[in-house]
Coordinates of all heavy atoms in Angstrom, one line a residue:
D785 N 118.7 -146.1 128.6 CA 117.6 -145.9 129.5 C 116.3 -145.8 128.7 O 116.2 -145.9 127.5 CB 117.9 -144.6 130.3 CG 117.9 -143.4 129.5 OD1 117.5 -143.4 128.3 OD2 118.4 -142.4 130.0
G786 N 115.2 -145.5 129.5 CA 113.8 -145.5 128.9 C 113.6 -144.4 127.9 O 112.9 -144.5 126.9
I787 N 114.3 -143.2 128.1 CA 114.1 -142.1 127.2 C 114.8 -142.4 125.8 O 114.2 -142.2 124.8 CB 114.8 -140.8 127.7 CG1 114.1 -140.4 129.0 CG2 114.8 -139.7 126.7 CD1 112.7 -139.9 128.8
E788 N 116.0 -143.0 125.8 CA 116.6 -143.4 124.6 C 115.8 -144.5 123.9 O 115.7 -144.6 122.7 CB 118.0 -143.9 124.9 CG 119.0 -142.8 125.3 CD 119.0 -141.6 124.3 OE1 119.1 -141.9 123.1 OE2 119.0 -140.5 124.7
L789 N 115.2 -145.5 124.7 CA 114.4 -146.5 124.1 C 113.2 -145.9 123.5 O 112.8 -146.3 122.4 CB 114.0 -147.5 125.2 CG 113.0 -148.6 124.8 CD1 113.7 -149.5 123.7 CD2 112.7 -149.5 126.0
L790 N 112.6 -144.9 124.1 CA 111.4 -144.3 123.5 C 111.7 -143.7 122.2 O 111.0 -143.8 121.2 CB 110.9 -143.2 124.5 CG 109.9 -142.2 123.9 CD1 108.6 -142.9 123.6 CD2 109.6 -141.1 125.0
K791 N 112.9 -143.0 122.1 CA 113.3 -142.4 120.8 C 113.5 -143.5 119.7 O 113.1 -143.3 118.6 CB 114.6 -141.6 121.0 CG 114.5 -140.4 121.9 CD 115.9 -139.7 122.0 CE 115.8 -138.5 122.9 NZ 117.1 -137.9 123.1
A792 N 114.2 -144.6 120.1 CA 114.4 -145.6 119.2 C 113.1 -146.3 118.7 O 113.0 -146.6 117.5 CB 115.3 -146.7 119.8
I793 N 112.2 -146.5 119.6 CA 110.9 -147.1 119.2 C 110.1 -146.2 118.2 O 109.6 -146.6 117.2 CB 110.0 -147.3 120.5 CG1 110.6 -148.5 121.3 CG2 108.6 -147.7 120.1 CD1 109.9 -148.6 122.6
K794 N 110.1 -144.9 118.5 CA 109.4 -143.9 117.7 C 110.0 -143.8 116.3 O 109.4 -143.5 115.3 CB 109.2 -142.6 118.4 CG 108.3 -142.5 119.6 CD 106.9 -142.9 119.1 CE 105.9 -142.9 120.3 NZ 104.5 -143.2 119.9
A795 N 111.4 -143.9 116.3 CA 112.1 -143.9 115.0 C 111.7 -145.1 114.1 O 111.6 -145.0 112.9 CB 113.6 -143.8 115.3
R796 N 111.5 -146.2 114.8 CA 111.1 -147.5 114.1 C 109.7 -147.5 113.7 O 109.3 -147.8 112.5 CB 111.5 -148.7 114.9 CG 112.9 -149.0 115.0 CD 113.2 -150.1 116.0 NE 114.6 -150.6 115.9 CZ 115.6 -150.0 116.4 NH1 115.5 -148.8 116.9 NH2 116.8 -150.6 116.3
D797 N 108.8 -147.1 114.6 CA 107.4 -147.1 114.3 C 106.6 -146.1 115.2 O 106.4 -146.4 116.4 CB 106.8 -148.5 114.6 CG 105.4 -148.7 114.1 OD1 104.7 -147.7 113.9 OD2 104.9 -149.9 114.0
P798 N 106.3 -145.0 114.7 CA 105.6 -143.9 115.5 C 104.3 -144.3 116.0 O 103.8 -143.7 117.0 CB 105.5 -142.8 114.5 CG 106.5 -143.0 113.4 CD 106.5 -144.5 113.3
D799 N 103.7 -145.4 115.5 CA 102.3 -145.8 115.9 C 102.4 -146.6 117.2 O 101.3 -146.9 117.8 CB 101.6 -146.6 114.8 CG 101.2 -145.6 113.7 OD1 101.2 -144.4 113.9 OD2 100.8 -146.1 112.6
I800 N 103.5 -147.1 117.6 CA 103.6 -147.9 118.8 C 103.4 -146.9 120.0 O 104.1 -145.9 120.1 CB 104.9 -148.6 119.0 CG1 105.1 -149.7 117.9 CG2 105.0 -149.3 120.3 CD1 106.4 -150.4 117.9
E801 N 102.4 -147.2 120.9 CA 102.2 -146.4 122.1 C 103.1 -146.8 123.2 O 103.3 -148.0 123.5 CB 100.7 -146.6 122.5 CG 99.7 -146.3 121.5 CD 99.7 -144.8 121.1 OE1 100.2 -144.0 121.9 OE2 99.2 -144.5 120.0
V802 N 103.8 -145.8 123.8 CA 104.8 -146.1 124.8 C 104.3 -145.4 126.1 O 104.1 -144.2 126.2 CB 106.2 -145.5 124.4 CG1 107.2 -145.9 125.5 CG2 106.6 -146.1 123.1
I803 N 104.2 -146.2 127.2 CA 103.9 -145.7 128.5 C 105.1 -145.8 129.4 O 105.8 -146.9 129.5 CB 102.8 -146.6 129.2 CG1 101.5 -146.6 128.3 CG2 102.4 -146.1 130.6 CD1 100.4 -147.5 128.7
M804 N 105.5 -144.7 130.0 CA 106.7 -144.7 130.8 C 106.4 -144.9 132.3 O 105.4 -144.5 132.8 CB 107.3 -143.3 130.7 CG 107.5 -142.8 129.3 SD 108.5 -143.9 128.2 CE 110.2 -143.6 129.0
M805 N 107.2 -145.7 133.0 CA 107.1 -146.0 134.4 C 108.2 -145.2 135.1 O 109.4 -145.2 134.7 CB 107.3 -147.5 134.7 CG 106.2 -148.3 134.1 SD 106.4 -150.1 134.6 CE 107.9 -150.5 133.6
T806 N 107.8 -144.3 136.1 CA 108.8 -143.4 136.7 C 108.7 -143.6 138.2 O 107.7 -144.0 138.8 CB 108.5 -142.0 136.3 OG1 107.3 -141.6 137.0 CG2 108.4 -141.8 134.9
G807 N 109.8 -143.1 138.9 CA 109.8 -143.0 140.3 C 109.3 -141.6 140.7 O 109.2 -140.7 139.8
H808 N 109.1 -141.3 141.9 CA 108.6 -140.0 142.3 C 109.6 -138.9 142.0 O 109.2 -137.7 141.8 CB 108.3 -140.0 143.8 CG 107.0 -140.7 144.1 ND1 105.8 -140.3 143.8 CD2 106.8 -141.9 144.8 CE1 104.8 -141.1 144.2 NE2 105.4 -142.1 144.8
G809 N 110.9 -139.2 142.0 CA 111.9 -138.2 141.7 C 112.2 -138.0 140.3 O 113.2 -137.3 139.9
D810 N 111.5 -138.7 139.4 CA 111.8 -138.6 137.9 C 110.8 -137.8 137.1 O 110.6 -138.1 136.0 CB 111.8 -140.1 137.4 CG 112.9 -140.9 138.1 OD1 113.9 -140.4 138.5 OD2 112.6 -142.2 138.2
M811 N 110.1 -136.9 137.8 CA 109.1 -136.1 137.1 C 109.6 -135.3 135.9 O 108.9 -135.2 134.8 CB 108.4 -135.2 138.0 CG 107.5 -135.9 139.1 SD 106.3 -137.0 138.4 CE 105.3 -135.9 137.5
D812 N 110.8 -134.8 136.0 CA 111.4 -134.0 134.8 C 111.6 -134.9 133.6 O 111.3 -134.6 132.5 CB 112.7 -133.4 135.2 CG 112.5 -132.2 136.2 OD1 111.4 -131.7 136.3 OD2 113.5 -131.9 136.9
L813 N 112.0 -136.2 133.9 CA 112.2 -137.1 132.9 C 110.8 -137.6 132.3 O 110.7 -137.8 131.1 CB 113.0 -138.4 133.4 CG 114.4 -138.2 133.7 CD1 115.0 -139.5 134.3 CD2 115.2 -137.8 132.5
A814 N 109.9 -137.7 133.1 CA 108.5 -138.1 132.7 C 108.0 -137.0 131.7 O 107.4 -137.3 130.7 CB 107.6 -138.3 133.9
I815 N 108.1 -135.7 132.1 CA 107.6 -134.6 131.3 C 108.4 -134.6 129.9 O 107.8 -134.4 128.9 CB 107.8 -133.3 132.0 CG1 106.8 -133.3 133.2 CG2 107.5 -132.1 131.1 CD1 107.0 -132.1 134.1
Q816 N 109.7 -134.9 130.0 CA 110.5 -134.9 128.8 C 110.0 -136.0 127.9 O 110.0 -135.9 126.7 CB 112.0 -135.2 129.1 CG 112.9 -135.2 127.9 CD 114.4 -135.5 128.3 OE1 114.7 -135.5 129.5 NE2 115.2 -135.8 127.3
S817 N 109.6 -137.2 128.5 CA 109.1 -138.3 127.6 C 107.8 -137.9 126.9 O 107.6 -138.3 125.8 CB 108.9 -139.5 128.5 OG 107.8 -139.4 129.4
L818 N 107.0 -137.1 127.6 CA 105.7 -136.7 126.9 C 106.0 -135.8 125.7 O 105.3 -135.9 124.7 CB 104.8 -136.0 127.9 CG 104.3 -136.8 129.1 CD1 103.4 -135.9 130.0 CD2 103.4 -138.0 128.5
K819 N 107.1 -135.0 125.8 CA 107.5 -134.2 124.7 C 108.0 -135.0 123.5 O 108.0 -134.6 122.4 CB 108.5 -133.1 125.1 CG 108.0 -132.1 126.1 CD 109.1 -131.1 126.5 CE 108.6 -130.1 127.5 NZ 109.7 -129.1 127.9
L820 N 108.5 -136.2 123.9 CA 109.0 -137.1 122.9 C 107.9 -138.1 122.4 O 108.2 -139.1 121.8 CB 110.2 -137.9 123.4 CG 111.4 -137.0 123.7 CD1 112.5 -137.9 124.5 CD2 112.0 -136.4 122.5
E821 N 106.7 -137.7 122.6 CA 105.5 -138.4 122.1 C 105.2 -139.7 122.9 O 104.6 -140.7 122.3 CB 105.6 -138.7 120.6 CG 105.7 -137.4 119.8 CD 105.7 -137.7 118.3 OE1 105.6 -138.9 117.9 OE2 105.9 -136.7 117.5
A822 N 105.6 -139.8 124.2 CA 105.1 -140.9 125.0 C 103.6 -140.7 125.2 O 103.1 -139.6 125.3 CB 105.9 -141.0 126.3
T823 N 102.9 -141.9 125.3 CA 101.5 -141.8 125.5 C 101.1 -141.3 126.9 O 100.2 -140.5 127.1 CB 100.8 -143.2 125.3 OG1 101.3 -143.7 124.0 CG2 99.3 -143.1 125.3
D824 N 101.8 -141.8 127.9 CA 101.4 -141.5 129.3 C 102.6 -141.9 130.2 O 103.6 -142.5 129.7 CB 100.2 -142.3 129.7 CG 99.4 -141.6 130.8 OD1 100.0 -140.7 131.5 OD2 98.3 -142.0 131.1
F825 N 102.5 -141.5 131.4 CA 103.5 -142.1 132.4 C 102.7 -142.4 133.7 O 101.7 -141.8 134.1 CB 104.6 -141.1 132.7 CG 104.2 -139.9 133.4 CD1 104.2 -139.8 134.8 CD2 103.9 -138.7 132.7 CE1 103.8 -138.6 135.5 CE2 103.5 -137.6 133.4 CZ 103.5 -137.5 134.7
I826 N 103.2 -143.4 134.4 CA 102.7 -143.9 135.7 C 103.8 -144.0 136.7 O 104.9 -144.4 136.3 CB 101.9 -145.2 135.6 CG1 102.7 -146.3 134.9 CG2 100.6 -145.0 134.9 CD1 102.0 -147.6 134.7
T827 N 103.5 -143.7 137.9 CA 104.6 -143.7 138.9 C 104.6 -145.0 139.8 O 103.5 -145.6 140.0 CB 104.4 -142.5 139.9 OG1 103.1 -142.5 140.5 CG2 104.6 -141.2 139.1
K828 N 105.8 -145.4 140.1 CA 105.9 -146.6 141.0 C 105.7 -146.2 142.5 O 106.0 -145.0 142.8 CB 107.3 -147.2 140.8 CG 107.6 -147.7 139.4 CD 109.0 -148.2 139.4 CE 109.4 -148.8 138.0 NZ 110.7 -149.3 137.9

């Protein structure tokens, strides 16, 4: 999923900016992604 992909990207290159796309029911996951150094999130 996107969270695991975010971790894998940051492990390879922390400088790559990652923007997460979420549904309205995925806010907890979106907040979790910010803690994992995602740049931002936008909702579908």
